[in-house]
Short mmCIF file of all heavy atoms in Angstrom, two decimals:
data_model
loop_
_atom_site.label_atom_id
_atom_site.label_comp_id
_atom_site.label_asym_id
_atom_site.label_seq_id
_atom_site.Cartn_x
_atom_site.Cartn_y
_atom_site.Cartn_z
N VAL A 11 2.92 -17.43 -4.32
CA VAL A 11 2.15 -17.68 -3.08
C VAL A 11 1.41 -16.39 -2.72
O VAL A 11 2.04 -15.35 -2.48
CB VAL A 11 3.07 -18.09 -1.93
CG1 VAL A 11 2.24 -18.44 -0.68
CG2 VAL A 11 3.91 -19.31 -2.32
N GLY A 12 0.08 -16.41 -2.79
CA GLY A 12 -0.72 -15.23 -2.49
C GLY A 12 -1.33 -14.62 -3.73
O GLY A 12 -0.63 -14.34 -4.71
N ALA A 13 -2.64 -14.43 -3.67
CA ALA A 13 -3.38 -13.84 -4.85
C ALA A 13 -3.95 -12.48 -4.43
O ALA A 13 -5.11 -12.16 -4.73
CB ALA A 13 -4.49 -14.78 -5.30
N GLY A 14 -3.12 -11.68 -3.76
CA GLY A 14 -3.48 -10.28 -3.55
C GLY A 14 -3.08 -9.51 -4.79
O GLY A 14 -2.73 -10.10 -5.82
N PRO A 15 -3.08 -8.18 -4.71
CA PRO A 15 -2.71 -7.39 -5.90
C PRO A 15 -1.33 -7.75 -6.43
O PRO A 15 -1.15 -7.89 -7.65
CB PRO A 15 -2.72 -5.96 -5.38
CG PRO A 15 -3.50 -5.98 -4.13
CD PRO A 15 -3.48 -7.34 -3.57
N ALA A 16 -0.35 -7.95 -5.53
CA ALA A 16 1.04 -8.23 -6.00
C ALA A 16 1.10 -9.57 -6.73
O ALA A 16 1.63 -9.66 -7.85
CB ALA A 16 1.99 -8.21 -4.79
N GLY A 17 0.54 -10.61 -6.12
CA GLY A 17 0.63 -11.92 -6.74
C GLY A 17 -0.13 -12.03 -8.03
O GLY A 17 0.36 -12.60 -9.02
N VAL A 34 -1.05 -19.83 -5.63
CA VAL A 34 -1.66 -20.58 -4.51
C VAL A 34 -2.16 -19.56 -3.48
O VAL A 34 -1.37 -18.77 -2.96
CB VAL A 34 -0.59 -21.50 -3.88
CG1 VAL A 34 -1.20 -22.28 -2.68
CG2 VAL A 34 -0.06 -22.50 -4.89
N GLU A 35 -3.47 -19.59 -3.22
CA GLU A 35 -4.10 -18.57 -2.35
C GLU A 35 -4.91 -19.28 -1.24
O GLU A 35 -5.67 -20.20 -1.52
CB GLU A 35 -5.01 -17.70 -3.21
CG GLU A 35 -6.00 -16.84 -2.41
CD GLU A 35 -5.36 -15.87 -1.44
OE1 GLU A 35 -4.40 -15.18 -1.82
OE2 GLU A 35 -5.82 -15.84 -0.26
N ARG A 36 -4.75 -18.78 -0.03
CA ARG A 36 -5.41 -19.47 1.08
C ARG A 36 -6.90 -19.10 1.19
O ARG A 36 -7.70 -19.87 1.75
CB ARG A 36 -4.73 -19.18 2.40
CG ARG A 36 -4.98 -17.80 2.95
CD ARG A 36 -4.40 -17.57 4.30
NE ARG A 36 -4.54 -16.16 4.66
CZ ARG A 36 -4.02 -15.61 5.74
NH1 ARG A 36 -3.27 -16.32 6.55
NH2 ARG A 36 -4.17 -14.33 5.99
N CYS A 37 -7.31 -17.93 0.67
CA CYS A 37 -8.71 -17.53 0.81
C CYS A 37 -9.51 -17.89 -0.43
O CYS A 37 -8.98 -18.31 -1.44
CB CYS A 37 -8.79 -16.01 1.04
SG CYS A 37 -8.05 -15.51 2.62
N HIS A 41 -13.85 -13.88 -1.06
CA HIS A 41 -13.23 -13.08 0.02
C HIS A 41 -12.29 -12.02 -0.57
O HIS A 41 -12.30 -10.87 -0.17
CB HIS A 41 -12.46 -14.01 0.98
CG HIS A 41 -11.77 -13.26 2.08
ND1 HIS A 41 -12.43 -12.83 3.23
CD2 HIS A 41 -10.48 -12.79 2.22
CE1 HIS A 41 -11.59 -12.17 4.01
NE2 HIS A 41 -10.40 -12.14 3.41
N LEU A 42 -11.51 -12.41 -1.55
CA LEU A 42 -10.56 -11.48 -2.18
C LEU A 42 -11.29 -10.31 -2.82
O LEU A 42 -10.88 -9.16 -2.73
CB LEU A 42 -9.73 -12.19 -3.23
CG LEU A 42 -8.85 -13.34 -2.79
CD1 LEU A 42 -7.97 -13.80 -4.00
CD2 LEU A 42 -7.95 -12.97 -1.61
N ARG A 45 -12.69 -7.85 -0.03
CA ARG A 45 -11.78 -7.29 0.98
C ARG A 45 -11.43 -5.84 0.67
O ARG A 45 -10.67 -5.56 -0.27
CB ARG A 45 -10.52 -8.18 1.07
CG ARG A 45 -9.64 -7.90 2.23
CD ARG A 45 -8.55 -8.98 2.35
NE ARG A 45 -7.87 -9.18 1.08
CZ ARG A 45 -6.97 -10.16 0.89
NH1 ARG A 45 -6.70 -11.02 1.84
NH2 ARG A 45 -6.34 -10.30 -0.26
N VAL A 46 -12.00 -4.92 1.45
CA VAL A 46 -11.76 -3.49 1.21
C VAL A 46 -10.45 -3.12 1.91
O VAL A 46 -10.26 -3.40 3.09
CB VAL A 46 -12.89 -2.65 1.83
CG1 VAL A 46 -12.58 -1.16 1.68
CG2 VAL A 46 -14.21 -2.98 1.16
N ARG A 47 -9.52 -2.51 1.14
CA ARG A 47 -8.28 -2.05 1.78
C ARG A 47 -7.89 -0.70 1.20
O ARG A 47 -8.51 0.30 1.51
CB ARG A 47 -7.16 -3.07 1.57
CG ARG A 47 -7.21 -4.20 2.57
CD ARG A 47 -5.98 -5.06 2.46
NE ARG A 47 -5.85 -6.04 3.51
CZ ARG A 47 -4.96 -7.01 3.45
NH1 ARG A 47 -4.19 -7.16 2.38
NH2 ARG A 47 -4.85 -7.90 4.44
N ALA A 48 -6.90 -0.68 0.38
CA ALA A 48 -6.36 0.60 -0.11
C ALA A 48 -7.34 1.24 -1.09
O ALA A 48 -8.27 0.60 -1.56
CB ALA A 48 -5.03 0.37 -0.82
N GLY A 49 -7.08 2.54 -1.31
CA GLY A 49 -7.99 3.25 -2.23
C GLY A 49 -7.32 4.22 -3.15
O GLY A 49 -7.82 4.56 -4.20
N LEU A 50 -6.10 4.68 -2.77
CA LEU A 50 -5.44 5.72 -3.57
C LEU A 50 -4.36 5.06 -4.45
O LEU A 50 -3.47 4.38 -3.96
CB LEU A 50 -4.80 6.77 -2.67
CG LEU A 50 -4.16 7.94 -3.41
CD1 LEU A 50 -4.39 9.25 -2.67
CD2 LEU A 50 -2.66 7.72 -3.62
N GLN A 104 -8.91 -1.03 -3.85
CA GLN A 104 -8.03 -2.18 -4.09
C GLN A 104 -8.83 -3.40 -4.53
O GLN A 104 -8.41 -4.19 -5.36
CB GLN A 104 -7.23 -2.49 -2.81
CG GLN A 104 -6.40 -3.74 -2.90
CD GLN A 104 -5.50 -3.90 -1.70
OE1 GLN A 104 -4.90 -2.97 -1.20
NE2 GLN A 104 -5.35 -5.13 -1.25
N ALA A 126 -6.42 -22.69 -0.34
CA ALA A 126 -5.28 -23.62 -0.10
C ALA A 126 -4.99 -23.65 1.41
O ALA A 126 -4.97 -22.64 2.09
CB ALA A 126 -4.03 -23.12 -0.83
N VAL A 129 -0.06 -24.37 3.54
CA VAL A 129 0.91 -24.02 2.49
C VAL A 129 2.32 -24.06 3.04
O VAL A 129 2.60 -23.48 4.10
CB VAL A 129 0.60 -22.63 1.91
CG1 VAL A 129 1.59 -22.24 0.84
CG2 VAL A 129 -0.85 -22.59 1.36
N CYS A 160 4.19 -13.59 -2.31
CA CYS A 160 3.28 -12.43 -2.41
C CYS A 160 2.18 -12.58 -1.37
O CYS A 160 1.01 -12.19 -1.59
CB CYS A 160 2.68 -12.33 -3.82
SG CYS A 160 3.91 -12.31 -5.12
N ASP A 161 2.49 -13.20 -0.25
CA ASP A 161 1.45 -13.61 0.73
C ASP A 161 1.33 -12.68 1.93
O ASP A 161 0.92 -13.11 3.01
CB ASP A 161 1.68 -15.06 1.18
CG ASP A 161 3.13 -15.30 1.60
OD1 ASP A 161 3.99 -14.42 1.39
OD2 ASP A 161 3.40 -16.40 2.16
N GLY A 162 1.73 -11.41 1.73
CA GLY A 162 1.42 -10.42 2.75
C GLY A 162 2.24 -10.56 4.02
O GLY A 162 3.14 -11.43 4.11
N HIS A 163 1.88 -9.73 4.99
CA HIS A 163 2.69 -9.64 6.21
C HIS A 163 2.65 -10.91 7.05
O HIS A 163 3.60 -11.23 7.77
CB HIS A 163 2.20 -8.44 7.04
CG HIS A 163 3.04 -8.17 8.25
ND1 HIS A 163 4.38 -7.81 8.16
CD2 HIS A 163 2.75 -8.22 9.57
CE1 HIS A 163 4.85 -7.63 9.39
NE2 HIS A 163 3.89 -7.88 10.25
N HIS A 164 1.53 -11.62 6.96
CA HIS A 164 1.37 -12.80 7.84
C HIS A 164 1.50 -14.11 7.07
O HIS A 164 1.05 -15.16 7.54
CB HIS A 164 -0.03 -12.72 8.52
CG HIS A 164 -0.23 -11.46 9.31
ND1 HIS A 164 0.45 -11.19 10.49
CD2 HIS A 164 -0.99 -10.38 9.06
CE1 HIS A 164 0.07 -10.01 10.95
NE2 HIS A 164 -0.81 -9.49 10.13
N GLY A 165 2.09 -14.03 5.92
CA GLY A 165 2.22 -15.22 5.09
C GLY A 165 3.35 -16.14 5.53
O GLY A 165 3.99 -15.93 6.57
N VAL A 166 3.60 -17.18 4.72
CA VAL A 166 4.64 -18.17 5.05
C VAL A 166 5.98 -17.86 4.38
O VAL A 166 7.03 -18.38 4.76
CB VAL A 166 4.22 -19.59 4.64
CG1 VAL A 166 3.01 -20.04 5.41
CG2 VAL A 166 3.95 -19.68 3.12
N SER A 167 5.95 -16.97 3.35
CA SER A 167 7.17 -16.78 2.56
C SER A 167 8.33 -16.22 3.38
O SER A 167 9.42 -16.81 3.47
CB SER A 167 6.89 -15.84 1.40
OG SER A 167 5.91 -16.38 0.58
N TRP A 187 -5.37 3.78 13.39
CA TRP A 187 -6.51 4.43 12.71
C TRP A 187 -7.76 3.57 12.94
O TRP A 187 -7.67 2.31 12.91
CB TRP A 187 -6.28 4.48 11.21
CG TRP A 187 -5.45 5.62 10.71
CD1 TRP A 187 -4.73 6.53 11.47
CD2 TRP A 187 -5.20 5.97 9.36
NE1 TRP A 187 -4.06 7.39 10.65
CE2 TRP A 187 -4.34 7.10 9.35
CE3 TRP A 187 -5.62 5.44 8.13
CZ2 TRP A 187 -3.90 7.68 8.18
CZ3 TRP A 187 -5.18 6.04 6.97
CH2 TRP A 187 -4.32 7.16 6.97
N ARG A 216 -14.58 5.87 -1.85
CA ARG A 216 -14.35 4.75 -2.77
C ARG A 216 -15.11 5.02 -4.08
O ARG A 216 -14.62 4.69 -5.13
CB ARG A 216 -14.78 3.42 -2.16
CG ARG A 216 -13.80 2.93 -1.09
CD ARG A 216 -12.44 2.59 -1.71
NE ARG A 216 -11.45 2.23 -0.71
CZ ARG A 216 -10.66 3.12 -0.08
NH1 ARG A 216 -10.75 4.41 -0.41
NH2 ARG A 216 -9.78 2.75 0.82
N ARG A 222 -14.94 6.81 2.73
CA ARG A 222 -13.95 6.04 3.50
C ARG A 222 -13.38 7.06 4.50
O ARG A 222 -12.74 8.05 4.06
CB ARG A 222 -12.86 5.51 2.59
CG ARG A 222 -11.78 4.66 3.29
CD ARG A 222 -12.31 3.42 3.87
NE ARG A 222 -11.28 2.37 4.02
CZ ARG A 222 -11.47 1.27 4.77
NH1 ARG A 222 -12.62 1.16 5.44
NH2 ARG A 222 -10.55 0.36 4.87
N TYR A 224 -11.24 8.00 8.13
CA TYR A 224 -10.23 7.48 9.08
C TYR A 224 -10.06 8.49 10.22
O TYR A 224 -10.17 9.69 10.03
CB TYR A 224 -8.88 7.30 8.38
CG TYR A 224 -8.82 6.25 7.31
CD1 TYR A 224 -8.79 6.60 5.96
CD2 TYR A 224 -8.78 4.89 7.61
CE1 TYR A 224 -8.73 5.64 4.96
CE2 TYR A 224 -8.71 3.92 6.63
CZ TYR A 224 -8.69 4.29 5.31
OH TYR A 224 -8.61 3.35 4.33
N VAL A 265 -12.76 -0.95 10.62
CA VAL A 265 -11.50 -1.68 10.87
C VAL A 265 -10.62 -0.84 11.79
O VAL A 265 -10.80 0.36 11.90
CB VAL A 265 -10.70 -1.96 9.57
CG1 VAL A 265 -11.34 -3.05 8.74
CG2 VAL A 265 -10.46 -0.70 8.79
N ARG A 266 -9.70 -1.52 12.42
CA ARG A 266 -8.70 -0.83 13.21
C ARG A 266 -7.34 -1.14 12.59
O ARG A 266 -7.00 -2.33 12.44
CB ARG A 266 -8.75 -1.29 14.67
CG ARG A 266 -7.73 -0.56 15.53
CD ARG A 266 -8.01 -0.75 16.99
NE ARG A 266 -7.10 -0.01 17.82
CZ ARG A 266 -7.12 -0.06 19.14
NH1 ARG A 266 -8.02 -0.82 19.74
NH2 ARG A 266 -6.27 0.63 19.87
N VAL A 267 -6.63 -0.13 12.15
CA VAL A 267 -5.36 -0.34 11.42
C VAL A 267 -4.22 0.19 12.28
O VAL A 267 -4.13 1.40 12.51
CB VAL A 267 -5.39 0.40 10.07
CG1 VAL A 267 -4.12 0.09 9.28
CG2 VAL A 267 -6.61 0.06 9.26
N VAL A 285 7.65 -10.05 -2.28
CA VAL A 285 7.00 -8.99 -3.06
C VAL A 285 5.91 -8.35 -2.21
O VAL A 285 5.16 -9.08 -1.53
CB VAL A 285 6.35 -9.57 -4.33
CG1 VAL A 285 5.82 -8.47 -5.23
CG2 VAL A 285 7.38 -10.43 -5.10
N GLY A 286 5.82 -7.01 -2.24
CA GLY A 286 4.69 -6.34 -1.57
C GLY A 286 4.73 -6.49 -0.06
O GLY A 286 5.80 -6.47 0.56
N ASP A 287 3.55 -6.68 0.54
CA ASP A 287 3.49 -6.72 2.00
C ASP A 287 4.27 -7.86 2.62
O ASP A 287 4.57 -7.83 3.80
CB ASP A 287 2.02 -6.80 2.47
CG ASP A 287 1.34 -5.44 2.52
OD1 ASP A 287 1.86 -4.52 1.85
OD2 ASP A 287 0.31 -5.31 3.20
N ALA A 288 4.59 -8.89 1.84
CA ALA A 288 5.46 -9.98 2.33
C ALA A 288 6.83 -9.42 2.66
O ALA A 288 7.53 -9.98 3.53
CB ALA A 288 5.56 -11.09 1.30
N HIS A 290 7.34 -5.74 3.02
CA HIS A 290 7.32 -4.44 3.71
C HIS A 290 5.88 -4.05 4.04
O HIS A 290 4.96 -4.34 3.31
CB HIS A 290 7.97 -3.37 2.87
CG HIS A 290 7.63 -3.44 1.40
ND1 HIS A 290 6.36 -3.22 0.90
CD2 HIS A 290 8.40 -3.74 0.33
CE1 HIS A 290 6.37 -3.36 -0.39
NE2 HIS A 290 7.59 -3.71 -0.77
N ILE A 291 5.78 -3.32 5.14
CA ILE A 291 4.48 -2.75 5.56
C ILE A 291 4.69 -1.25 5.75
O ILE A 291 5.72 -0.84 6.32
CB ILE A 291 4.02 -3.38 6.90
CG1 ILE A 291 3.62 -4.84 6.72
CG2 ILE A 291 2.86 -2.59 7.50
CD1 ILE A 291 2.28 -5.03 6.04
N PHE A 292 3.75 -0.44 5.28
CA PHE A 292 3.86 1.00 5.49
C PHE A 292 2.69 1.45 6.36
O PHE A 292 1.59 0.88 6.27
CB PHE A 292 3.75 1.74 4.16
CG PHE A 292 4.85 1.43 3.20
CD1 PHE A 292 4.71 0.39 2.29
CD2 PHE A 292 6.04 2.15 3.21
CE1 PHE A 292 5.75 0.09 1.40
CE2 PHE A 292 7.07 1.85 2.34
CZ PHE A 292 6.93 0.81 1.43
N PRO A 294 -0.53 3.51 6.72
CA PRO A 294 -1.39 3.86 5.57
C PRO A 294 -1.43 5.36 5.28
O PRO A 294 -1.96 5.76 4.27
CB PRO A 294 -2.75 3.35 5.97
CG PRO A 294 -2.72 3.26 7.45
CD PRO A 294 -1.32 2.94 7.82
N ALA A 296 0.37 7.69 3.93
CA ALA A 296 0.74 8.22 2.61
C ALA A 296 0.28 7.31 1.50
O ALA A 296 0.67 7.49 0.34
CB ALA A 296 2.25 8.41 2.54
N ALA A 297 -0.50 6.26 1.84
CA ALA A 297 -1.09 5.38 0.82
C ALA A 297 -0.02 4.77 -0.08
O ALA A 297 -0.11 4.83 -1.31
CB ALA A 297 -2.13 6.11 -0.02
N LYS A 298 1.01 4.18 0.54
CA LYS A 298 2.12 3.61 -0.28
C LYS A 298 2.05 2.10 -0.43
O LYS A 298 2.64 1.54 -1.35
CB LYS A 298 3.46 3.98 0.36
CG LYS A 298 3.76 5.51 0.30
CD LYS A 298 3.71 6.04 -1.10
CE LYS A 298 3.79 7.55 -1.16
NZ LYS A 298 3.19 8.09 -2.38
N GLY A 299 1.36 1.39 0.48
CA GLY A 299 1.43 -0.07 0.53
C GLY A 299 1.11 -0.72 -0.81
O GLY A 299 1.92 -1.47 -1.38
N LEU A 300 -0.05 -0.43 -1.35
CA LEU A 300 -0.47 -1.05 -2.60
C LEU A 300 0.39 -0.59 -3.76
O LEU A 300 0.81 -1.39 -4.61
CB LEU A 300 -1.95 -0.74 -2.85
CG LEU A 300 -2.53 -1.15 -4.19
CD1 LEU A 300 -2.39 -2.66 -4.39
CD2 LEU A 300 -3.99 -0.76 -4.28
N ASN A 301 0.71 0.68 -3.80
CA ASN A 301 1.48 1.23 -4.92
C ASN A 301 2.87 0.64 -4.97
O ASN A 301 3.34 0.23 -6.06
CB ASN A 301 1.54 2.75 -4.80
CG ASN A 301 0.15 3.38 -4.98
OD1 ASN A 301 -0.41 3.33 -6.08
ND2 ASN A 301 -0.42 3.95 -3.94
N ALA A 303 3.77 -2.20 -3.69
CA ALA A 303 3.63 -3.64 -3.95
C ALA A 303 3.56 -3.93 -5.43
O ALA A 303 4.22 -4.85 -5.94
CB ALA A 303 2.35 -4.17 -3.24
P1 FAS B 501 -1.98 -8.68 0.42
O1 FAS B 501 -1.90 -8.84 1.92
O2 FAS B 501 -3.02 -7.79 -0.17
O3 FAS B 501 -2.21 -10.11 -0.25
C1 FAS B 501 -1.59 -11.25 0.27
C2 FAS B 501 -2.43 -12.46 -0.14
O4 FAS B 501 -1.77 -13.65 0.31
C3 FAS B 501 -3.81 -12.47 0.51
O5 FAS B 501 -4.80 -12.69 -0.46
C4 FAS B 501 -3.73 -13.58 1.53
O6 FAS B 501 -4.97 -14.23 1.72
C5 FAS B 501 -2.70 -14.50 0.91
N1 FAS B 501 -1.99 -15.35 1.87
C6 FAS B 501 -1.58 -15.01 3.11
N2 FAS B 501 -0.95 -16.07 3.68
C7 FAS B 501 -0.97 -17.09 2.76
C8 FAS B 501 -0.49 -18.42 2.75
N3 FAS B 501 0.15 -18.92 3.80
N4 FAS B 501 -0.69 -19.16 1.64
C9 FAS B 501 -1.33 -18.66 0.55
N5 FAS B 501 -1.82 -17.39 0.51
C10 FAS B 501 -1.64 -16.62 1.58
N6 FAS B 501 -2.41 0.49 1.54
C11 FAS B 501 -2.56 1.70 0.96
O7 FAS B 501 -1.76 2.00 0.07
N7 FAS B 501 -3.58 2.57 1.33
C12 FAS B 501 -4.49 2.24 2.28
O8 FAS B 501 -5.40 3.01 2.59
C13 FAS B 501 -4.39 0.96 2.93
N8 FAS B 501 -5.34 0.57 3.84
C14 FAS B 501 -5.21 -0.68 4.42
C15 FAS B 501 -6.18 -1.11 5.36
C16 FAS B 501 -6.08 -2.40 5.95
C17 FAS B 501 -7.11 -2.85 6.96
C18 FAS B 501 -4.97 -3.24 5.63
C19 FAS B 501 -4.82 -4.59 6.28
C20 FAS B 501 -4.03 -2.81 4.69
C21 FAS B 501 -4.15 -1.54 4.08
N9 FAS B 501 -3.23 -1.09 3.09
C22 FAS B 501 -3.33 0.13 2.51
C23 FAS B 501 -2.12 -1.92 2.73
C24 FAS B 501 -2.58 -2.91 1.67
O9 FAS B 501 -3.35 -2.26 0.70
C25 FAS B 501 -1.38 -3.63 1.13
O10 FAS B 501 -0.29 -2.76 0.88
C26 FAS B 501 -1.66 -4.41 -0.13
O11 FAS B 501 -2.73 -5.27 0.14
C27 FAS B 501 -0.39 -5.16 -0.55
O12 FAS B 501 -0.74 -6.13 -1.47
P2 FAS B 501 -0.03 -7.60 -1.40
O13 FAS B 501 1.40 -7.42 -1.25
O14 FAS B 501 -0.60 -8.32 -2.59
O15 FAS B 501 -0.53 -8.25 -0.04
#
Side-chain angles (χ1 to χ4, degrees):
V11 184
V34 179
E35 165 59 47
R36 74 175 173 187
C37 294
H41 179 81
L42 299 187
R45 192 170 51 187
V46 176
R47 277 188 171 168
L50 184 142
Q104 174 173 321
V129 178
C160 305
D161 49 350
H163 186 62
H164 302 291
V166 295
S167 299
W187 277 7
R216 285 295 174 271
R222 181 65 155 165
Y224 294 105
V265 287
R266 181 164 183 183
V267 185
V285 187
D287 277 19
H290 41 67
I291 290 285
F292 298 91
K298 293 304 171 204
L300 172 58
N301 293 294

